[in-house]
Amino acid sequence: MTDLIKVQHDDFNVAEQYQQLIQNNQQDGAVVFFVGLVRDFNQQQSIKSLTLEHYPAMTEKVLNLIVEQAREKWPLGRISVVHRVGTMQLGEQIVFVGVTSQHRQAAFEAGQFIMDILKTQAPFWKKEQTEQGSHWVDAKESDQTQAQTWLK
């Protein structure tokens, strides 16, 4: 089992992340990944750009704990979590979550679990730049509700 957890300013290459999940990995038959992008609209406002800040030591610790929780719930092979910080423009990549498993159901569920828990528990602070100015964004209630379904 190999986990890759990175928090970085630089963009990532999805094809390279995928290759790391499958290279010399003949035991897993399923690969699921998610890529989150900066979108142009959120909570009734047009977005110009997005800035993510974090507390480095704590963020990586929490991401590792989320991955450990996923491993306790599902039989998983490799896991990759790459999350960007800094200012990103519309359409830029924010996060990559990739999971391998012997079977697709575990890979799908674990990938969704990691993303849902990451959105609500990882210490990232999100600031949106809009036509009206900049503002910090709280976690959405729908994200909190979805995370709670996994933690029951």
Side-chain angles (χ1 to χ4, degrees), residues 32-102:
V32 170
F33 65 87
F34 169 82
V35 176
L37 306 173
V38 178
R39 63 178 179 220
D40 67 351
F41 194 79
N42 188 31
Q43 301 176 0
Q44 280 84 60
Q45 292 195 0
S46 293
I47 307 302
K48 293 172 63 177
S49 64
L50 174 71
T51 300
L52 286 168
E53 294 183 7
H54 76 304
Y55 180 65
M58 183 59 72
T59 303
E60 286 147 6
K61 180 179 179 182
V62 171
L63 292 176
N64 276 291
L65 288 171
I66 294 168
V67 167
E68 286 175 26
Q69 288 176 316
R71 287 198 175 284
E72 290 170 6
K73 292 178 173 288
W74 294 278
L76 303 174
R78 296 179 181 174
I79 300 174
S80 291
V81 177
V82 180
H83 205 299
R84 293 182 61 203
V85 292
T87 299
M88 290 159 267
Q89 304 305 313
L90 297 178
E92 284 192 57
Q93 299 175 136
I94 304 168
V95 61
F96 177 95
V97 172
V99 178
T100 71
S101 183
Q102 291 182 351

